[in-house]
Amino acid sequence: MFSTKKSLEKFMQAYKNEVRRHISKTTSVTNSDAMAPRLDQSASKSPQAEETGPKRLLKLQKYHRFLSTLTPQEMPMATRGLAVSKDQSREFMAVFPDIVRDLTETGKHIDVPEASKWLAKLLQYNVPNGKKNRGLATILAYKMLEKKENLTPENILLANVMGWCVEMFHTHQLLLNDIMEGTTMRRGVPCWHRRPDVGLNGINDAALIQSAMYTSVKRHFNSKPYYNYVLETFNEMLMKCSMGHYVQKLMLKTDKPDLSLFTMEKYEAITKYKTSYYTFQMPVSLALLMTGVDDPETHRQAKTILLKMGEFFQIQDDFLDCFGDPTVTEKYGTDIQDGKCTWLAVVALQRATPAQKQIMEDNYGVNKPEAIARIKDLYEELQLPHTYSVFEETTYDLLRTQIQQVTRGLPHELFFKILDNIFRRSV
């Protein structure tokens, strides 16, 4: 156990140093027959997928560790969502229509029925159709943290409602992010703002979903002792996400990204603020509040491990964006042509020779098939798939150790459950 904040920080620094040491060790490895289709070589291509000639399989490097992210039988949480029972998924989905009804058919705003009708359409199109990782994680955490005698039907219903509030928060972020980044498709359908009847009005729709979230929180939780803490949590997460978007945009002030800003420190900051806080910390924090745990030290300990999980979750997502099979991941990666600061780009720049850095300068952030293919080839030349495989296994081992040492007074089973969902392992 870590008795002081100073000793915890010392452990975290050792954690980072160990991971970076393993990354730096993986600079050479022999070829093998390990195969994985690349996005531009998939049998099924999107209209925007690059065409590079005859289909061929990409030879990845031989891994002395098991690269679970590319195993098709059982994809990671970044692709397939949180593993929960079918009963839990059905229970969660069954609550959503009631939430929409409460927001649109409760007698409020009767003088603007068209606005209520639009809100219902907005919610139904955008909120329930993703993997719902964050909402389901909220319920999972609550059920594992709450005392058995308190798991009444009423309290379980409240946990499901809180899960949907988390999903509405997520949807608010997605709508704004899609507009800012010019995204065209989301979850296999056109992004909300790409609809002919929406456009830039999607900015107001994002605000409408955020308001719907706060309305639902007030309706169901305003009499609870933790109500104010819940509001503070949502407000804090909104601030952190907005800061994360701003820092990311700083790297794309022009048509081309500023690769001199692509450092690991900057990448970790963007990942923490844009993803880790609200994807991993927020669901567990809300569950802790619902079970009556408002002790700052307990929340801090949970935050420490959850933010590290969130960082790996984003790194995993970056890897899948480039090397994942779109027939399995159900998405075509665009990080390279979008010029995003990703883990792959940062590690590549750390290792690249001057000539290879010039290749990055000339091709990264360029939306042309040949430029995208050149960057992917460079990643292979720099042995990044192998580096990732070692990083994945090392991170898993270190996180398991950290769970045992940091989460004092909290059920280790909860954190192991989340961890193994990320890494697609079963306990």
Side-chain angles (χ1 to χ4, degrees):
M1 300 295 182
F2 292 102
S3 57
T4 67
K5 184 176 181 180
K6 185 176 181 179
S7 60
L8 174 58
E9 290 173 349
K10 186 176 180 180
F11 176 85
M12 289 303 300
Q13 188 57 49
Y15 167 89
K16 289 185 177 181
N17 292 340
E18 178 70 6
V19 171
R20 288 171 179 167
R21 184 178 68 83
H22 278 278
I23 290 175
S24 66
K25 284 169 59 180
T26 58
T27 54
S28 63
V29 66
T30 56
N31 288 333
S32 80
D33 296 324
M35 312 291 268
R38 206 165 70 184
L39 300 187
D40 56 339
Q41 300 156 344
S42 170
S44 174
K45 296 189 179 187
S46 73
Q48 298 178 346
E50 61 266 30
E51 297 289 339
T52 58
K55 299 174 184 175
R56 60 186 175 88
L57 290 176
L58 166 65
K59 280 193 177 183
L60 296 179
Q61 306 304 317
K62 186 172 184 177
Y63 313 121
H64 69 278
R65 295 173 188 254
F66 180 62
L67 180 56
S68 66
T69 298
L70 287 178
T71 304
Q73 294 92 336
E74 196 181 354
M75 292 302 291
M77 193 170 84
T79 296
R80 53 129 173 93
L82 188 68
V84 297
S85 69
K86 291 183 179 180
D87 287 343
Q88 177 58 74
S89 295
R90 283 192 291 264
E91 176 188 288
F92 189 44
M93 289 301 299
V95 175
F96 185 69
D98 292 333
I99 289 177
V100 175
R101 194 176 304 111
D102 288 341
L103 290 166
T104 60
E105 299 179 8
T106 55
K108 294 183 178 180
H109 316 300
I110 57 176
D111 52 340
V112 284
E114 62 272 24
S116 292
K117 184 177 180 181
W118 182 258
L119 174 57
K121 180 179 180 180
L122 170 67
L123 292 168
Q124 290 161 353
Y125 187 92
N126 291 287
V127 178
N129 300 317
K131 294 185 284 289
K132 298 174 281 292
N133 286 336
R134 297 154 187 85
L136 289 167
T138 304
I139 302 162
L140 172 69
Y142 174 76
K143 289 183 175 180
M144 295 185 73
L145 290 166
E146 184 60 279
K147 296 175 182 177
K148 188 173 182 180
E149 60 267 25
N150 292 336
L151 291 174
T152 63
E154 178 186 1
N155 286 338
I156 290 176
L157 173 61
L158 287 176
N160 279 276
V161 171
M162 187 66 81
W164 282 116
C165 291
V166 170
E167 286 299 315
M168 283 189 273
F169 182 98
H170 177 50
T171 301
H172 167 258
Q173 291 297 306
L174 289 183
L175 292 185
L176 293 177
N177 188 72
D178 287 346
I179 293 172
M180 288 187 287
E181 296 189 358
T183 310
T184 58
M185 299 291 288
R186 170 72 64 182
R187 298 165 179 168
V189 298
C191 291
W192 179 252
H193 74 278
R194 300 290 295 181
R195 292 169 56 98
D197 54 344
V198 181
L200 288 180
N201 289 325
I203 297 172
N204 185 69
D205 290 338
L208 193 56
I209 283 189
Q210 183 186 32
S211 300
M213 176 197 76
Y214 281 118
T215 298
S216 295
V217 169
K218 181 179 179 181
R219 177 182 179 87
H220 294 276
F221 302 100
N222 70 329
S223 63
K224 302 297 181 182
Y226 51 81
Y227 176 59
N228 286 337
Y229 291 117
V230 168
L231 293 179
E232 289 175 6
T233 298
F234 279 120
N235 286 331
E236 180 184 3
M237 294 300 135
L238 179 61
M239 174 67 81
K240 291 185 184 303
C241 288
S242 299
M243 288 182 170
H245 284 296
Y246 174 75
V247 174
Q248 184 180 61
K249 284 298 177 184
L250 279 179
M251 299 187 175
L252 292 167
K253 284 187 173 180
T254 62
D255 291 338
K256 288 290 294 294
D258 185 351
L259 297 185
S260 68
L261 298 176
F262 281 36
T263 65
M264 191 59 73
E265 289 73 21
K266 191 68 70 176
Y267 173 77
E268 289 172 352
I270 293 171
T271 296
K272 181 167 65 174
Y273 279 83
K274 272 198 68 182
T275 303
S276 302
Y277 275 119
Y278 92 95
T279 300
F280 284 84
Q281 184 196 349
M282 184 167 73
V284 176
S285 293
L286 292 171
L288 283 168
L289 293 173
M290 292 182 70
T291 58
V293 178
D294 55 13
D295 170 52
E297 178 61 18
T298 301
H299 280 263
R300 185 187 65 79
Q301 291 189 359
K303 171 184 173 181
T304 299
I305 180 64
L306 291 165
L307 290 184
K308 295 311 299 180
M309 289 185 188
E311 181 181 311
F312 178 77
F313 178 83
Q314 185 58 55
I315 292 171
Q316 186 183 70
D317 194 63
D318 291 350
F319 183 83
L320 288 167
D321 186 274
C322 182
F323 292 107
D325 181 352
T327 63
V328 179
T329 65
E330 297 183 347
K331 83 172 194 178
Y332 288 84
T334 61
D335 286 351
I336 293 174
Q337 53 264 49
D338 290 345
K340 288 187 177 180
C341 179
T342 67
W343 184 83
L344 292 169
V346 170
V347 176
L349 288 167
Q350 287 177 341
R351 291 186 176 179
T353 65
Q356 290 170 326
K357 286 182 179 178
Q358 190 58 51
I359 293 173
M360 289 285 289
E361 290 284 356
D362 295 340
N363 294 279
Y364 201 76
V366 177
N367 192 10
K368 294 181 179 179
E370 58 271 21
I372 298 167
R374 187 65 191 95
I375 294 296
K376 290 180 179 179
D377 289 340
L378 178 60
Y379 286 170
E380 295 158 31
E381 292 167 17
L382 292 170
Q383 314 273 349
L384 295 195
H386 173 70
T387 298
Y388 174 83
S389 73
V390 176
F391 172 81
E392 179 183 76
E393 192 71 17
T394 302
T395 301
Y396 179 83
D397 293 339
L398 288 170
L399 283 172
R400 285 190 66 89
T401 300
Q402 190 180 358
I403 288 171
Q404 294 169 339
Q405 295 177 324
V406 175
T407 55
R408 182 180 59 189
L410 292 167
H412 292 176
E413 298 79 23
L414 169 62
F415 297 93
F416 284 134
K417 176 80 171 177
I418 297 172
L419 177 62
D420 286 304
N421 266 279
I422 299 173
F423 285 85
R424 297 179 332 183
R425 305 179 186 211
S426 56
V427 180

